[in-house]
Amino acid sequence: MTKMACVLEPPLRMSVLSEVTASSRHYVDRLFDPDPQKVLQGVVDMKNAVIGNNKQKANLIVLGAVPRLLYLLQQETSSTELKTECAVVLGSLSMGTENNVKSLLDCHIIPALLQGLLSADIRFIEACLRCLRTIFTSPVTPVELLYTDATVIPHLMLLLSRSLYSQEYICQIFAHCCKAPDHQTILFNHGVVQNIAHLLTSMSYKVRMQALKCFSVLAFDNPQVSMTLVNVLVDGELLPQIFVKMLQRDKPIEMQLTAAKCLTYMCRAGSIRTDDTCIVLKTLPCLVRMCNKERLLEERVEGAETLAYLIEPDVELQRIASITDHLISMLADYFKYPSSVSAITDIKRLDHDLKHAHELRQAAFKLYASLGANDEDIRKKIIEAEHMMDRIVNGLSESSVKVRLAAVRCLHSLSRSVQQLRTSFQDHAVWKPLMKVLQNAPDDILVVASSTLCNLLLEFSPSKEPILESGAVELLCSLTLSENPALRVNGIWALMNMAFQADQKIKSDILRGLSTEQLFRLLSDSDVNVLMKTLGLLRNLLSTRPHIDQIMSTHGKQIMQAVTFILEGEHNIEVKEQTLCILANIADGTTAKDLIMTNDDILQKIKYYVGHSNLKLQLAAMFCIANLTWNEEEGSQERQDKLREIGIVEILHKLSQSTDPNLCDKAKTALQQYFA
């Protein structure tokens, strides 16, 4: 019986499908009529049947209407009217579901429509552009399809002068398909700035709006475009002035927001100063206005995210924003929306906002992170906002990755405060959810979370002890194995902070967890930041005599090899200075000193660097000599004699005449050890 059921299943499905599509079949059949007039009438009837009817659209696609419509659209014998009506129906079909768009793309609709743009008839061109606009703005369409044929962009530039509709649709296509730096470059090189600038003063609001959107995506993170925009004149007015006019309160919100984005992106790209009045008195207040609870959800999200981006690198803008319109307390409302007593009467709107409420939380965290990036007073205000730390802790465990990332960013920004690390962070045991985030998260979250952990492991942070007890050493050692250099840096940086003034047990745990092999792999890392932090870790491990002697008794040979290897390599001054400081620490050990004194190669290197032309390297080498010659320690006479033999004393005499007071003092102190 079961076998029979399986056999029967496909025909059953077919019969349901045929019922659904039978009523639509005659529309498709008429497209094949030998009489061109009847074909035209069939396409017009089809157009009327599909408007606003997604079911009908899907049926016609299943029945194969698309290839026939595209055939008629491209046939030379088809009348312009028929071609136009075909483009209109295809445009209507593309407005249905994402699956509809996929079906159209599978039939190679884009090349056919682009071919249609070569026509002389403006109505047909507009119908093709309208359809292209709908397809390109769908998330399933690869934007690269606009750039495959190099003749397309210049042709679209030419069509900009044809009509208001062509201007609106082309700008919309450009704005949507400009997703990467190479897209910006292609459009820029084809003269998009000059071709679109005058459209900002168009009679049509839609054209002005699409041109404005175009400029915002062109300027984003692009100094070349931004520097050009500053000097563009439209009807005797500079572009930034036109953008400022579009920020005015009497303009539609969409226009205010997009103009604010243009000015923000130009400012971040360096073409407008952060203290320019158009930023301080126009753009920033406009973006703060967008955060008001009277605004729609998406306006509040966009306003907060754009403001966060604008003020991120500039402490003065952060201070101004923090005291504009009670922004910090205004952002607290982002976490209470939509509430059960919401004033939204439109059920559709409420449903939409409930689905997107997490975007508000994400935007608020981003803006708090930017506001608190530098100023201690602002951080204090943020943390004192109602339930702030609880909100961050909750944000760290939200299901949305974007909210988690924004919450970690916010926490990272606030963790730069010594005061907060000692108080709020401890009161809320923030380290617990942070450690949980670090267990299993995508790289972008791991990078920020591990940076935050670095701050929580500073010696004055009360969280340091419980973090150590919760197995942080193992976690951080595993980060140093990552292929992502930022994670390697943070892993080793956190271990460096952990090792600072730590007891012997913690230092041993670190060395055991990291393994000698991994430690030396990190010392030959291609990323200089990883190398610097690893040297910093070694320096912190090799501090206080008993620790120095203990570590050098077990790892001395490998550490001396690594020191030699770095001092001989092609490294910058900072790396070599840090390495010489490690040698100075080793020279401070009781038994560890012998590893230097019995290594002629290392002694020659100390001699070379104390006579080096770089002051930092001379001073670092001088510390080594001072620790080796200190005459209150056992064996000092033999060490002094050996250093005299290799010519160190001569160099010390020369350096005691140095014009640098610090170097001169150190050289004199070292010489005194010989005569004491």
Side-chain angles (χ1 to χ4, degrees):
M1 280 304 289
T2 39
K3 280 186 179 171
M4 277 301 289
C6 287
V7 173
L8 281 170
E9 207 178 322
L12 269 174
R13 275 213 301 268
M14 284 304 293
S15 64
V16 172
L17 189 65
S18 55
E19 266 178 52
V20 171
T21 55
S23 60
S24 311
R25 189 176 297 283
H26 73 282
Y27 287 115
V28 180
D29 292 343
R30 289 166 70 190
L31 299 182
F32 292 89
D33 197 292
D35 181 349
Q37 208 44 48
K38 284 184 179 168
V39 174
L40 175 60
Q41 193 52 50
V43 176
V44 172
D45 291 345
M46 188 184 278
K47 173 179 75 177
N48 296 330
V50 294
I51 290 172
N53 187 337
N54 274 353
K55 200 172 176 183
Q56 186 70 280
K57 288 175 188 179
N59 290 347
L60 290 170
I61 289 171
V62 168
L63 288 167
V66 177
R68 183 62 183 170
L69 287 166
L70 286 171
Y71 172 79
L72 295 170
L73 180 108
Q74 294 174 90
Q75 269 301 89
E76 283 185 21
T77 52
S78 298
S79 66
T80 307
E81 191 181 358
L82 175 60
K83 288 180 180 179
T84 306
E85 292 296 348
C86 286
V88 171
V89 175
L90 289 164
S92 194
L93 294 177
S94 65
M95 283 179 177
T97 63
E98 288 182 4
N99 279 338
N100 291 6
V101 178
K102 282 180 188 163
S103 303
L104 293 170
L105 290 170
D106 290 344
C107 295
H108 307 292
I109 187 170
I110 289 181
L113 292 170
L114 291 172
Q115 192 62 33
L117 298 180
L118 299 172
S119 159
D121 186 89
I122 188 60
R123 275 199 63 243
F124 177 46
I125 290 172
E126 286 174 354
C128 290
L129 283 172
R130 191 181 300 114
C131 187
L132 281 166
R133 178 273 314 265
T134 309
I135 289 170
F136 274 122
T137 52
S138 163
V140 299
T141 309
V143 295
E144 293 302 332
L145 292 172
L146 182 68
Y147 304 97
T148 340
D149 179 344
T151 63
V152 170
I153 304 287
H155 187 65
L156 288 171
M157 295 292 177
L158 289 174
L159 291 177
L160 274 169
S161 58
R162 293 294 303 273
S163 72
L164 288 177
Y165 283 129
S166 65
Q167 292 168 350
E168 180 193 335
Y169 303 145
I170 291 168
C171 285
Q172 206 171 347
I173 290 167
F174 287 164
H176 199 82
C177 294
C178 187
K179 299 276 190 206
D182 50 334
H183 300 158
Q184 290 173 323
T185 305
I186 293 168
L187 291 170
F188 180 78
N189 290 343
H190 280 106
V192 70
V193 173
Q194 294 71 19
N195 281 302
I196 287 180
H198 70 281
L199 302 182
L200 290 170
T201 55
S202 166
M203 301 289 289
S204 155
Y205 170 75
K206 284 184 174 176
V207 171
R208 291 202 301 280
M209 202 53 239
Q210 293 307 334
L212 189 58
K213 283 183 178 171
C214 221
F215 280 122
S216 78
V217 294
L218 285 165
F220 179 68
D221 205 13
N222 193 315
Q224 184 193 23
V225 174
S226 294
M227 288 297 183
T228 306
L229 294 185
V230 174
N231 301 312
V232 171
L233 279 170
V234 180
D235 298 344
E237 236 178 337
L238 286 168
L239 264 195
Q241 293 167 331
I242 292 174
F243 293 151
V244 167
K245 280 185 177 173
M246 292 175 155
L247 286 178
Q248 290 166 358
R249 288 168 189 254
D250 60 340
K251 296 289 184 288
I253 295 297
E254 177 191 32
M255 181 172 272
Q256 289 184 46
L257 248 176
T258 314
K261 275 185 175 178
C262 290
L263 290 160
T264 293
Y265 298 160
M266 288 167 73
C267 178
R268 281 299 306 267
S271 67
I272 298 177
R273 287 167 53 107
T274 51
D275 58 359
D276 191 301
T277 53
C278 78
I279 297 296
V280 178
L281 302 180
K282 301 290 182 184
T283 309
L284 187 147
C286 169
L287 290 169
V288 173
R289 277 202 309 275
M290 296 302 148
C291 299
N292 194 297
K293 62 180 175 193
E294 306 305 317
R295 300 263 56 86
L296 291 175
L297 178 139
E298 45 272 38
E299 293 162 359
R300 293 169 79 189
V301 169
E302 222 173 311
E305 292 196 340
T306 308
L307 182 56
Y309 183 67
L310 172 66
I311 67 174
E312 189 181 22
D314 190 90
V315 64
E316 202 43 51
L317 288 180
Q318 289 156 14
R319 288 184 184 133
I320 295 165
S322 72
I323 54 167
T324 304
D325 285 357
H326 309 289
L327 178 65
I328 290 172
S329 54
M330 202 192 307
L331 285 177
D333 289 331
Y334 276 47
F335 296 93
K336 304 173 193 168
Y337 181 88
S339 68
S340 52
V341 291
S342 180
I344 302 177
T345 47
D346 178 351
I347 296 298
K348 245 184 175 175
R349 182 83 223 173
L350 184 60
D351 182 52
H352 168 273
D353 285 5
L354 283 164
K355 284 190 186 120
H356 294 270
H358 66 277
E359 292 174 20
L360 275 176
R361 296 193 292 279
Q362 177 195 340
F365 282 137
K366 277 187 184 173
L367 184 43
Y368 277 138
S370 281
L371 283 163
N374 298 290
D375 188 287
E376 192 62 31
D377 292 336
I378 298 176
R379 287 188 199 121
K380 191 167 179 291
K381 278 187 198 167
I382 290 171
I383 284 175
E384 286 168 359
E386 55 179 315
H387 311 305
M388 189 61 205
M389 292 310 284
D390 294 332
R391 283 181 176 140
I392 294 175
V393 168
N394 292 338
L396 293 175
S397 56
E398 279 213 29
S399 57
S400 158
V401 175
K402 287 181 174 177
V403 177
R404 287 208 304 277
L405 177 58
V408 175
R409 283 218 170 109
C410 182
L411 190 65
H412 179 238
S413 182
L414 300 173
S415 75
R416 295 185 180 126
S417 159
V418 176
Q419 176 65 30
Q420 300 311 331
L421 283 174
R422 285 185 172 148
T423 54
S424 308
F425 275 53
Q426 189 57 13
D427 299 343
H428 290 80
V430 167
W431 64 270
K432 283 184 186 170
L434 186 67
M435 287 295 285
K436 203 172 162 192
V437 167
L438 281 160
Q439 303 301 331
N440 184 15
D443 270 15
D444 48 359
I445 291 184
L446 271 181
V447 169
V448 191
S450 53
S451 284
T452 312
L453 195 64
C454 288
N455 292 344
L456 293 182
L457 286 167
L458 290 163
E459 86 280 6
F460 51 75
S461 165
S463 309
K464 185 172 180 176
E465 288 305 314
I467 290 172
L468 285 170
E469 287 159 19
S470 71
V473 172
E474 194 184 334
L475 180 110
L476 295 169
C477 290
S478 70
L479 287 183
T480 69
L481 297 164
S482 169
E483 288 187 6
N484 183 332
L487 285 177
R488 292 203 300 280
V489 167
N490 287 348
I492 205 77
W493 193 341
L495 289 169
M496 179 185 93
N497 287 350
M498 200 183 267
F500 183 75
Q501 294 180 350
D503 59 36
Q504 182 64 45
K505 182 190 175 304
I506 292 171
K507 290 183 177 180
S508 301
D509 287 350
I510 292 172
L511 274 169
R512 202 177 310 112
L514 206 52
S515 84
T516 323
E517 295 76 28
Q518 177 57 4
L519 184 65
F520 296 115
R521 213 175 288 131
L522 292 164
L523 285 171
S524 53
D525 200 288
S526 56
D527 188 299
V528 69
N529 295 319
V530 174
L531 174 55
M532 278 298 282
K533 293 292 176 259
T534 310
L535 290 169
L537 169 64
L538 254 183
R539 194 172 165 183
N540 286 349
L541 290 171
L542 294 166
S543 62
T544 75
R545 276 187 191 168
H547 296 178
I548 295 168
D549 291 334
Q550 150 86 52
I551 290 169
M552 291 307 287
S553 70
T554 52
H555 296 82
K557 191 177 166 208
Q558 297 102 313
I559 288 174
M560 294 307 282
Q561 277 176 346
V563 165
T564 310
F565 176 68
I566 290 170
L567 290 176
E568 283 177 354
E570 291 291 318
H571 293 289
N572 65 32
I573 299 294
E574 284 69 26
V575 167
K576 295 202 169 178
E577 179 193 16
Q578 188 80 294
T579 310
L580 288 166
C581 289
I582 290 169
L583 263 187
N585 283 13
I586 296 168
D588 192 35
T590 307
T591 54
K593 282 181 169 65
D594 298 342
L595 287 160
I596 295 177
M597 294 311 299
T598 54
N599 188 326
D600 290 340
D601 189 17
I602 284 285
L603 289 172
Q604 285 300 328
K605 284 183 169 46
I606 292 172
K607 177 186 172 183
Y608 168 73
Y609 283 109
V610 83
H612 198 277
S613 57
N614 184 281
L615 182 64
K616 282 182 178 178
L617 296 180
Q618 284 181 291
L619 281 168
M622 188 66 84
F623 277 115
C624 298
I625 293 166
N627 285 345
L628 292 170
T629 54
W630 200 251
N631 60 18
E632 288 171 17
E633 289 166 8
E634 200 181 323
S636 62
Q637 192 57 55
E638 292 85 347
R639 288 194 295 274
Q640 287 180 5
D641 291 347
K642 184 149 190 186
L643 292 174
R644 188 192 295 275
E645 274 172 40
I646 65 167
I648 293 281
V649 176
E650 266 178 68
I651 296 173
L652 289 176
H653 278 296
K654 273 185 201 163
L655 294 179
S656 65
Q657 309 298 313
S658 167
T659 52
D660 181 80
N662 206 352
L663 189 59
C664 173
D665 283 354
K666 295 275 184 298
K668 283 176 181 171
T669 308
L671 283 170
Q672 279 164 11
Q673 301 306 307
Y674 277 86
F675 309 120

